[in-house]
Amino acid sequence: MCGIVGYVGDRQALEVVLEGLRRLEYRGYDSSGVAVLTPGGARLVVEKRAGRIENLDKALAAEHPAGIPGTTAIGHTRWATHGPPTDRNAHPHLDATASVAVIHNGIIENFAPLRAELEATGTELASETDSEVVAHLVARAMPAAGGDLAAALRQVCGRLEGAFTLVVAHKDEPGRLVAARRNSPLVLGVGKGETFLASDVAAFVEHTRDAVELGQDQIVEITADGYTVTDFAGTPVAVSPFRVDWDLAAAEKGGYPYFMLKEIQEQPAAVADTLLGHFTGDRIVLDEQRLDTQELRDVDKVFVVACGTAYHSGLIAKHAIEHWTRVPVEVEMASEFRYRDPVLDRDTLVVAISQSGETMDTLEAIRHAREQKARVLAICNTNGAQIPRESDAVLYTRAGPEIGVAATKTFLAQVVATQLVGLALAQAKGTKYGDEVAREFAAMEAMPELISQVLGVVEPVRELARDIAGSKAVLFLGRHVGYPVALEGALKLKELAYMHAEGFPAGELKHGPIALIEDGLPVVVVMPSPHGRPVLHAKLLSNIQEIRARGARTIVIAEDGDTAVRPYAHHLVEVPRTPTLLSPLVTTVPLQVLAAEIAQARGYDVDKPRNLAKSVTVE
Ligand code: AGP
């Protein structure tokens, strides 16, 4: 997820674009850059730097103390997916003649063959990114397009796979920008004598509230006087202008009062983007792999080390990795791991899960593992962070920046990322054939749609949340992969609503916790599918009857059509049927919403819970 801004108008474009980037920093902030077309064209002035936008500001002040004149410019603030955050990998990217400048939001799945094709024809690429290939391809397409930038971009888009919003400037076309959209957002701002392009309206809402949302597979050309929209074949298409009724603060949160609420809604895209590019049709590929297949094949023990929500995704991963590889998996809280002198050797794989990639407990755990000669594979949401840098292999989740302290979309992304790792291990060890890996991957690809379905039916959860906001405690029960979901639901309630909440394996109830059940106590039960694990379903049905008989107020998350559970649920939230190992992707969402709504009902700041930090960089 990155921030994109384009401007054509009658004002000095650089400051307009920089201000827009500052409004979009929440979308990505590991590097940023601008390209300005000088008056009369003929030159693209590009400045880009790693780090926050103030680094770019300092570079501009040093390199261009009088500013960069020009009324056409593009700008980008990056959340790295391919290539660490460096000056070189920052956008905009140029072709070899510095005629074409491109900024990109998304993931070009087939960038590797396109890169190889360019290099085979003598093109030297300056960065490690997927995005740069577009600048070279557009420049190459210009002659055949008769110098028509939009036609050249249309031709290139026909070759791209994945998710992309692209904005392109050409040195010979001051006063014109061209953009394309597939799967990543792009919106126009239509002003008087000026036109904007952006990832979202926050970039221009202070200048104009007249906007147009670009549709799938559409190309737009903008000038100061307006815009033209076509499909990828060049056929004009009708668009629907709209009026932005959000103020700036709300615009940055997509109209929600808190980033976390917006990030809950972004979960389908977070899962979809995390999967992009990791399956080549017959095998799983990681982002960085400094382990060869034989080393993976030799793995005879897996430890998963993580903290908090990441630890819960590790508990789910255990089920998948053991089921697919028959390799024993231990899931450990990172803060405990190295102090218990674990048994590690060269054939041990330690999987470190961390959205920030900076959590000191997890970082020290992998350092201990490497001292014991174990191999380390990191699953991380932050490209270039310390934990992936100190690992032998990396798979990045691509949830985009998560501003809310409470993890939501990074958790769902970790669930699929850990299963990609499980499949990669299974294919290396031969415990899964290529067609079986393909089937599991296809099941994951179907999940964003199912997550969207759940997001569409959570309104009753919001009402329920307000009804139980005054409870003194809430218990959460689950079995199998439903137990980590119960733990995650309890953690969300603790960290957001400061309420006592506890997750248990449902089978553990009779060994003590059932003494906690009293009249009216809310108990959330995460039901397994009656199809996937019928025995577990029957046992959990008994557990629900036991607690209901003792006065519990049962809130049940169950699969659509699970009629057996209905008589015992005071409140029933139905989620789509999924494969057992992927069910946490749909059963977790109502619990996230429940916790966020209870916190709001209690008047707390959902994005900044007390005593917590987004990244815990101390032990
Ligand atoms: C989750 O909602 C919490 N914010 C916290 O438990 C978090 O998951 C934990 O600190 C691990 O952070 P990491 O993923 O950045 O390593």
Side-chain angles (χ1 to χ4, degrees):
M1 174 198 264
C2 302
I4 275 185
V5 183
Y7 176 80
V8 183
D10 50 11
R11 287 188 280 163
Q12 286 309 300
L14 178 59
E15 198 38 53
V16 174
V17 165
L18 285 170
E19 193 48 43
L21 290 182
R22 292 183 194 104
R23 306 289 183 210
L24 298 183
E25 259 207 306
Y26 71 89
R27 295 180 62 86
Y29 41 75
D30 60 39
S31 56
S32 62
V34 292
V36 183
L37 276 82
T38 52
R43 206 156 81 84
L44 276 162
V45 180
V46 174
E47 284 298 343
K48 53 187 189 174
R49 289 296 186 281
R52 303 299 289 247
I53 290 180
E54 55 259 28
N55 287 6
L56 177 62
D57 287 336
K58 287 177 191 151
L60 287 165
E63 304 295 326
H64 310 274
I68 306 173
T71 58
T72 305
I74 58 178
H76 185 275
T77 181
R78 185 173 181 237
W79 185 260
T81 56
H82 293 78
T86 60
D87 292 357
R88 209 155 61 94
N89 288 337
H91 300 214
H93 290 288
L94 293 170
D95 72 301
T97 64
S99 303
V100 175
V102 173
I103 53 179
H104 169 224
N105 176 27
I107 295 142
I108 296 170
E109 262 192 289
N110 61 331
F111 86 97
L114 293 172
R115 187 182 179 102
E117 177 192 310
L118 287 164
E119 288 170 334
T121 56
T123 301
E124 278 188 44
L125 285 92
S127 78
E128 303 156 270
T129 67
D130 55 337
S131 313
E132 186 188 346
V133 301
V134 176
H136 296 288
L137 292 173
V138 169
R140 269 193 352 182
M142 284 294 275
D148 178 340
L149 189 57
L153 182 58
R154 271 197 290 273
Q155 190 265 339
V156 171
C157 287
R159 302 192 62 198
L160 303 180
E161 294 166 16
F164 50 86
T165 289
L166 298 162
V167 181
V168 186
H170 194 287
K171 69 178 178 62
D172 298 335
E173 301 237 19
R176 177 184 305 276
L177 292 177
V178 179
R181 178 194 184 273
R182 171 178 287 170
N183 293 332
S184 297
L186 182 63
V187 63
L188 277 77
V190 186
K192 291 183 177 40
E194 57 186 13
T195 310
F196 303 78
L197 287 165
S199 313
D200 79 29
V201 298
F204 58 70
V205 71
E206 61 188 309
H207 304 299
T208 178
R209 289 178 178 274
D210 293 321
V212 175
E213 180 93 37
L214 258 286
Q216 183 75 327
D217 286 8
Q218 291 185 351
I219 298 267
V220 62
E221 289 183 75
I222 69 165
T223 65
D225 303 325
Y227 60 92
T228 312
V229 182
T230 71
D231 60 20
F232 277 5
T235 308
V237 295
V239 292
S240 321
F242 67 93
R243 183 95 177 131
V244 181
D245 54 13
W246 296 329
D247 63 20
L248 183 62
E252 289 174 337
K253 301 180 183 74
Y256 293 93
Y258 294 104
F259 278 110
M260 181 195 168
L261 305 185
K262 178 168 176 276
E263 288 154 4
I264 287 172
Q265 299 297 324
E266 290 171 344
Q267 294 186 111
V271 168
D273 288 350
T274 297
L275 294 171
L276 273 179
H278 285 302
F279 185 60
T280 60
D282 63 3
R283 55 194 304 277
I284 299 290
V285 290
L286 306 180
D287 284 298
E288 296 170 22
Q289 183 157 336
R290 297 176 280 277
L291 295 174
D292 62 35
T293 303
Q294 188 56 50
E295 287 169 311
L296 277 182
R297 192 172 295 132
D298 292 343
V299 167
D300 62 9
K301 172 81 176 196
V302 173
F303 282 96
V304 177
V305 296
C307 304
T309 290
Y311 169 77
H312 299 151
S313 74
L315 292 172
I316 297 166
K318 171 187 174 75
H319 290 274
I321 297 172
E322 288 189 338
H323 186 57
W324 291 336
T325 68
R326 310 316 296 156
V327 171
V329 178
E330 286 191 49
V331 186
E332 302 247 0
M333 289 190 173
S335 54
E336 290 292 310
F337 177 66
R338 64 197 179 104
Y339 298 109
R340 68 167 192 76
D341 194 15
V343 177
L344 303 165
D345 63 28
R346 294 186 57 75
D347 293 334
T348 307
L349 179 67
V350 172
V351 177
I353 307 172
S354 173
Q355 65 82 20
S356 64
E358 301 295 345
T359 298
M360 190 52 70
D361 288 323
T362 309
L363 181 57
E364 290 299 341
I366 67 167
R367 286 171 174 166
H368 177 78
R370 293 177 67 87
E371 285 162 13
Q372 308 300 315
K373 308 298 179 224
R375 271 50 180 256
V376 176
L377 185 152
I379 292 175
C380 185
N381 197 51
T382 312
N383 202 304
Q386 196 61 31
I387 289 171
R389 280 210 299 267
E390 297 191 22
S391 299
D392 300 301
V394 183
L395 192 147
Y396 285 107
T397 52
R398 295 187 188 131
E402 189 173 66
I403 309 301
V405 166
T408 50
K409 60 180 183 173
T410 55
F411 175 67
L412 266 57
Q414 287 164 356
V415 170
V416 289
T418 51
Q419 295 195 19
L420 289 172
V421 168
L423 290 173
L425 205 48
Q427 77 192 13
K429 298 181 83 66
T431 52
K432 276 268 184 201
Y433 298 123
D435 57 346
E436 293 172 309
V437 171
R439 274 199 301 277
E440 300 292 353
F441 188 81
M444 286 194 251
E445 284 190 308
M447 290 311 298
E449 171 51 37
L450 299 181
I451 299 165
S452 297
Q453 286 178 23
V454 180
L455 290 169
V457 299
V458 289
E459 193 48 42
V461 176
R462 295 196 176 94
E463 289 156 27
L464 169 64
R466 290 187 281 273
D467 195 26
I468 65 171
S471 306
K472 68 176 185 177
V474 178
L475 304 187
F476 293 76
L477 305 181
R479 287 179 178 259
H480 197 258
V481 292
Y483 166 46
V485 173
L487 292 176
E488 177 59 11
L491 176 61
K492 286 286 152 304
L493 203 48
K494 277 183 258 201
E495 64 179 328
L496 292 169
Y498 321 146
M499 186 191 265
H500 176 69
E502 204 162 346
F504 297 102
E508 193 57 15
L509 261 183
K510 53 191 174 300
H511 302 289
I514 200 163
L516 291 171
I517 305 296
E518 58 189 32
D519 198 38
L521 179 72
V523 179
V524 176
V525 182
V526 182
M527 286 299 290
S529 162
H531 309 285
R533 307 303 307 263
V535 170
L536 287 182
H537 183 269
K539 290 190 181 303
L540 209 46
L541 217 43
S542 305
N543 296 141
I544 293 180
Q545 293 173 59
E546 287 158 18
I547 61 175
R548 196 179 156 103
R550 289 164 174 78
R553 183 173 179 181
T554 53
I555 301 162
V556 181
I557 316 295
E559 186 178 283
D560 280 340
D562 183 348
T563 51
V565 79
R566 283 192 188 136
Y568 310 108
H570 288 108
H571 307 276
L572 179 62
V573 181
E574 295 191 286
V575 296
R577 181 173 178 179
T578 72
T580 294
L581 292 170
L582 295 173
S583 61
L585 294 172
V586 292
T587 54
T588 304
V589 174
L591 307 190
Q592 296 167 339
V593 173
L594 183 74
E597 291 299 323
I598 290 177
Q600 290 177 89
R602 288 186 158 202
Y604 299 140
D605 183 331
V606 170
D607 282 339
K608 302 184 182 73
R610 70 185 181 195
N611 310 334
L612 292 177
K614 187 59 186 170
S615 173
V616 183
T617 54
V618 292
E619 273 203 294

